Amino acid sequence: EAKSDARPTIRLITDAAGIDDKSFNAAAWRGILAFYGDTWEKQAGRGKLYDVVTCQTQDQYIPNLKLASDEGYDLICVTGFTFADALGEVAPLYPDQKYMIVDVDWVVQPNVMQFMFSEHEGSYLVGVAAALKAQADGIKNPKFGFIGGVPGAVITKFEMGYIQGIKSVLPNAEVVDYYANDWGKPELAKAQAKNWFDSGVYVIYSAAGGTGNGTIAQAKEYRSQGKNVWAIGVDSDQYEDGIYADGKSAVLTSMIKRVEASTVYALN
């Protein structure tokens, strides 16, 4: 006799970077996999208990939210503040549908669970780490870079925490910033990282989802050539993405946000 699975069902809806961004969306997906006892390599419940849809453009947010709502998932999860307006429009249309959103606290609907993080605190710590590493390497007048994805209050928290961490060690340090206005264009971060590294920037911290992978790629390329530059990962541990030789990584450290904790919590 067939037995029904009593566990809840969930659909994750992401921006264009998708769950392969190795950062923010990947963390949300890891939480979903962990809840169902699956792994990245073995996703047995995919298509039955959980699934994911990637929106290539923001105008796909509302249609995909409505489609998932019509399909009867127990929970629909969206990642990132760029989904706030779309969710704010769709949630009231489906009062019996449960939703969750990460990095937003202003979609005030009875059927929406919201999750916020203290990104500035972890960013402060990686800023301290970057400055201390510059001191340890004897870098004179080190410069530091920050690459953001889409501008917003959340990414500002990343940047301000990072700057304050650096300046707690090196009060006169120079920090430059750049915003790609996209979560999924690593080529933009790679080009900017190259320009900055060539001009003497020592460490670059990216809070840009998949876009930030370009920073790691450029740091990896330059360190393999013997240049002393670093990238700092975000949201997930990106150490392995920076490995270039004999277990050496171009990723100095990562600010691990643990978005996966929110998806596990919501499903429970």
Side-chain angles (χ1 to χ4, degrees), residues 98-161:
K98 293 182 173 63
Y99 303 91
M100 65 167 285
I101 186 168
V102 180
D103 286 350
V104 169
D105 63 359
W106 59 90
V107 181
V108 184
Q109 297 291 335
N111 56 337
V112 176
M113 184 179 289
Q114 304 176 103
F115 291 87
M116 295 289 288
F117 291 79
S118 299
E119 297 89 354
H120 51 292
E121 295 178 0
S123 297
Y124 181 95
L125 294 176
V126 299
V128 170
L132 291 175
K133 182 61 175 172
Q135 282 187 333
D137 283 354
I139 307 296
K140 293 183 178 180
N141 302 317
K143 292 194 292 185
F144 303 86
F146 175 84
I147 293 179
V150 177
V154 171
I155 305 304
T156 298
K157 288 165 67 180
F158 278 100
E159 181 175 5
M160 293 301 102

